Amino acid sequence: ACVYLWETSDAFATISSTTAATTSIIFYTATSTTVSLSITDADNYMCKATLPLKKINYDLPVWHEVKAR
């Protein structure tokens, strides 16, 4: 059994579960933000990875509702 810990440098981000193996994160800002995952096993060995965020959802389309004719 491992212990997981998710962290982000975005102080206003919402992490759905900081201690689950997988999670979802809603970011307030993606600029200069990092995400870290620390995993500690039953023998107390710990591994941590920290990665910078890349371009996220910037290219989503802007939808405009158009009235039918």
Side-chain angles (χ1 to χ4, degrees):
C2 294
V3 176
Y4 302 91
L5 179 61
W6 289 92
E7 300 172 298
T8 178
S9 62
D10 182 348
F12 299 104
T14 302
I15 303 173
S16 64
S17 178
T18 59
T19 58
T22 60
T23 192
S24 63
I25 304 173
I26 299 172
F27 296 97
Y28 179 76
T29 178
T31 306
S32 302
T33 301
T34 59
V35 174
S36 300
L37 173 60
S38 301
I39 303 172
T40 306
D41 68 9
D43 293 326
N44 218 26
Y45 289 106
M46 195 263 297
C47 179
K48 182 174 184 174
T50 302
L51 297 171
L53 289 182
K54 302 294 182 189
K55 190 175 178 183
I56 297 177
N57 294 340
Y58 287 134
D59 294 330
L60 290 177
V62 176
W63 296 97
H64 297 280
E65 192 169 330
V66 178
K67 183 176 179 180
R69 294 180 185 193

